[in-house]
Amino acid sequence: MKTTGRNDPCPCGSQKKYKNCCLNKQQQSNSSEMIWAKLRAINDQLVNKLIQHGYHFYGPGMIEDAWEEFSLGSGKPFDENASENQLFVPWLLYSWWFEVDIEDGDNAFDDFEYRSIAQDYLEVKYNQLSEMQRDFIKLVIDRPYSFYEIIDCSPGTGFRMKDLLTGEEIDVLEKSGSQNAAAGNVLFGQIIQYETVGMVIGSSSILITPGFIPSIIHLRKQIREGSGAVGEDELIEWEAEIRSLYLSIYESMHRSPKLVNTDGDPMVLLEIHYHIDSPETVFDKLKSLATGVPEQDLLSEARFDENGKLLEIEFPWLRLGNAVNKEWQNTVLARITIEKNHLKINVNSEERAKKIKTKIKTLLKGQAVYKKTEIQSMDSIMEQAKKGSGKEDDLNEPEEPFAPELRELLDKHLREHWKGWIHQKIPALGDITPLAAAKDPEGREMLKALLDDFERSDCNSPPDQSQKKYIDWARKELGLA
């Protein structure tokens, strides 16, 4: 294969000479990779040396004391095999500042100062270190931790990242960590810039999903209000608060999400069954539960026998007003179905089940005999509703869609949820509604992150459970499409 000469046309098609185009870029790339390799070697060599120096400098309780401060007194014991040590260990060596006794030779008392392990090591070993080693230690000591959003990712090469607190953008070389990352994810950690090379030193073991970006923006507002600006000095000053937010995000990402209804009750689907003797009598005594709906409207879709007697009817248990959407006139608390000698009630929480049982007992006064309650969590009903092949070892066997009646029930629930969501006060948005947040630049930034997070999670859902059309609808309603 012919080698491209310096004065030949550049292979990229720019019509420039190779020396004025990609040759410079290639040389710069090679130079950056050489610097990165040297920095990585220095970092790896220093870890063990700094740990040994730390035990000599601080004492045998170093790890336990540093961990207690790092974890903000959580009480969680230190685990030497935990993946989070890739964040904790660099913090321990470079960013943990603790009180040190300094003997004052002319006075009979001690003075105190704060010093990190790396700072003390730099002073003690200064003349034994190369210039690059000294510069590396100084850079890491002075660099704060922050939240970095991945703007662009080149798998196997690195990232372009944006500091969500300061707004600074930086290109980072990172071969292994970039393999499974994607734009929109957030990395918590410490990044240094050495000449042309950006390098991650201490970082979280998890990639934070976009749904947590609003809480980071809220912290940014607090720092700006408290300090007047958001720069490196402010991040160092607010280090404990920044780390506290990360730790709370870490815990949240390791907890299973909980679905709630409009009353804030944990979402559980319950089906309550009764035996009845007279459909007409039961309907007559329960129709008042459909608050505000005329009887003729309730009966419009009922089924009758040849003599005009009621056989089957379905109607809602309603409550005036809605806690989620003030524009809605009522809240559907349950679906009541009468089928000949069978009364069935569907509710979505245990609290509502207790209330409807009490109403049945009061209104029917012995004319309904309780049979059973079938209870399923939202997660379990999603799993059981799929009509799979039953072959657990056949990973290529396609899943069959939901039964039509369950698909209709799920669609109705999702429509109501998303129509209400844009009017609901969202804690992640600072207890304001998405409609209100869309009027503010930072609010729009938070909304975009939330909807991106919803869409990313939805990508893992089977097609018949997808919420993408509702997410797209929300974007249009909020002016983000």
Side-chain angles (χ1 to χ4, degrees):
M1 184 179 292
K2 181 182 177 181
T3 303
T4 304
R6 290 174 53 83
N7 293 308
D8 291 341
C10 188
C12 75
S14 66
Q15 298 184 347
K16 295 180 181 180
K17 291 183 178 181
Y18 182 48
K19 67 181 181 181
N20 295 324
C21 191
C22 290
L23 177 60
N24 288 333
K25 295 177 183 177
Q26 184 64 44
Q27 289 173 340
Q28 184 176 359
S29 175
N30 292 340
S31 174
S32 295
E33 291 202 8
M34 287 178 62
I35 293 172
W36 184 90
K38 290 179 180 179
L39 291 174
R40 179 55 62 193
I42 288 173
N43 182 55
D44 293 344
Q45 292 163 6
L46 283 174
V47 170
N48 289 332
K49 292 179 180 179
L50 288 173
I51 289 175
Q52 292 173 10
H53 184 80
Y55 277 118
H56 176 75
F57 175 51
Y58 185 88
M62 176 184 71
I63 295 290
E64 289 74 17
D65 291 350
W67 175 255
E68 183 177 5
E69 184 172 334
F70 176 83
S71 63
L72 300 174
S74 66
K76 181 180 177 180
F78 172 73
D79 179 1
E80 64 180 11
N81 297 315
S83 59
E84 276 303 277
N85 288 340
Q86 68 183 49
L87 176 65
F88 168 65
V89 171
W91 179 90
L92 155 73
L93 301 177
Y94 293 96
S95 302
W96 181 42
W97 292 72
F98 49 88
E99 195 175 76
V100 181
D101 292 350
I102 304 299
E103 182 72 28
D104 189 332
D106 297 328
N107 297 301
F109 58 87
D110 291 338
D111 282 337
F112 301 95
E113 72 174 25
Y114 285 88
R115 188 181 297 179
S116 69
I117 293 170
Q119 183 189 37
D120 191 77
Y121 181 83
L122 180 62
E123 292 181 9
V124 172
K125 304 289 186 179
Y126 190 87
N127 292 326
Q128 300 173 36
L129 298 172
S130 69
E131 183 178 359
M132 192 174 190
Q133 288 173 323
R134 292 196 291 262
D135 289 344
F136 176 86
I137 294 173
K138 290 175 185 176
L139 278 173
V140 182
I141 288 174
D142 293 337
R143 189 67 174 166
Y145 283 78
S146 192
F147 295 92
Y148 293 89
E149 181 182 8
I150 299 172
I151 299 173
D152 190 26
C153 179
S154 177
T157 302
F159 315 98
R160 181 159 187 81
M161 310 187 82
K162 178 182 178 181
D163 188 326
L164 286 170
L165 296 178
T166 67
E168 173 194 17
E169 293 189 9
I170 186 170
D171 290 311
V172 174
L173 283 176
E174 178 58 47
K175 298 182 184 297
S176 60
S178 61
Q179 293 288 355
N180 300 314
N185 284 328
V186 176
L187 183 73
F188 178 72
Q190 184 185 47
I191 297 177
I192 64 167
Q193 179 83 44
Y194 185 95
E195 296 181 0
T196 60
V197 177
M199 181 176 177
V200 179
I201 302 301
S203 69
S204 55
S205 61
I206 58 170
L207 287 171
I208 299 169
T209 53
F212 291 98
I213 290 179
S215 60
I216 299 169
I217 295 173
H218 283 304
L219 178 59
R220 184 175 73 200
K221 287 182 175 181
Q222 287 182 314
I223 296 173
R224 187 186 301 122
E225 291 169 0
S227 301
V230 185
E232 285 194 11
D233 290 343
E234 286 71 34
L235 298 195
I236 291 172
E237 180 184 348
W238 286 71
E239 190 269 342
E241 289 81 1
I242 293 170
R243 181 159 32 90
S244 176
L245 175 58
Y246 166 72
L247 292 173
S248 68
I249 290 173
Y250 181 88
E251 290 298 321
S252 296
M253 289 187 66
H254 286 78
R255 286 197 300 265
S256 299
K258 300 297 182 183
L259 294 173
V260 297
N261 62 18
T262 54
D263 293 333
D265 302 325
M267 187 82 78
V268 181
L269 299 185
L270 300 98
E271 197 168 79
I272 308 168
H273 299 266
Y274 291 86
H275 174 80
I276 58 174
D277 292 324
S278 170
E280 287 185 322
T281 300
V282 170
F283 170 70
D284 188 57
K285 294 189 176 182
L286 295 185
K287 64 186 179 183
S288 62
L289 294 176
T291 307
V293 182
E295 181 177 347
Q296 59 269 28
D297 290 349
L298 297 178
L299 291 169
S300 62
E301 296 185 6
R303 193 165 73 86
F304 301 86
D305 66 12
E306 62 274 11
N307 298 317
K309 288 187 174 294
L310 180 68
L311 291 177
E312 297 179 6
I313 188 171
E314 180 182 338
F315 58 97
W317 170 29
L318 299 174
R319 179 179 65 204
L320 292 178
N322 191 282
V324 171
N325 188 345
K326 302 302 181 184
E327 296 180 2
W328 293 356
Q329 296 181 352
N330 53 50
T331 301
V332 178
L333 300 176
R335 301 298 303 180
I336 300 171
T337 304
I338 298 171
E339 297 176 337
K340 297 182 181 179
N341 298 115
H342 182 207
L343 170 63
K344 179 178 70 175
I345 302 169
N346 293 93
V347 293
N348 63 11
S349 75
E350 292 184 351
E351 184 63 28
R352 289 181 180 178
K354 291 177 184 177
K355 290 179 180 178
I356 193 63
K357 284 181 180 179
T358 299
K359 288 186 177 292
I360 294 296
K361 185 176 182 180
T362 301
L363 294 172
L364 296 183
K365 296 178 180 178
Q367 293 178 313
V369 179
Y370 173 76
K371 290 296 184 181
K372 64 179 179 178
T373 298
E374 297 177 349
I375 306 175
Q376 291 179 298
S377 68
M378 288 296 290
D379 290 337
S380 65
I381 199 169
M382 291 294 188
E383 288 299 320
Q384 295 178 27
K386 300 174 194 172
K387 296 180 177 180
S389 66
K391 299 176 182 178
E392 296 183 3
D393 57 342
D394 188 356
L395 299 180
N396 296 318
E397 184 73 20
E399 293 178 343
E400 294 185 16
F402 277 167
E405 60 272 16
L406 185 57
R407 175 70 262 174
E408 183 180 350
L409 177 64
L410 184 60
D411 276 339
K412 182 174 182 179
H413 171 75
L414 291 174
R415 282 196 302 272
E416 291 178 355
H417 167 77
W418 282 99
K419 286 180 180 178
W421 184 81
I422 64 172
H423 298 276
Q424 185 177 359
K425 291 183 178 180
I426 308 296
L429 299 176
D431 282 329
I432 63 173
T433 68
L435 284 172
K439 299 175 182 178
D440 173 75
E442 287 187 326
R444 293 173 70 85
E445 187 181 354
M446 289 188 277
L447 277 172
K448 180 183 179 302
L450 281 181
L451 292 170
D452 285 349
D453 191 58
F454 294 153
E455 186 167 359
R456 179 173 300 193
S457 299
D458 187 64
C459 288
N460 298 320
S461 301
D464 58 357
Q465 298 176 39
S466 174
Q467 298 186 45
K468 188 176 187 310
K469 66 179 179 180
Y470 303 107
I471 297 170
D472 290 343
W473 174 86
R475 282 198 178 100
K476 290 179 182 178
E477 287 293 307
L478 297 169
L480 299 175

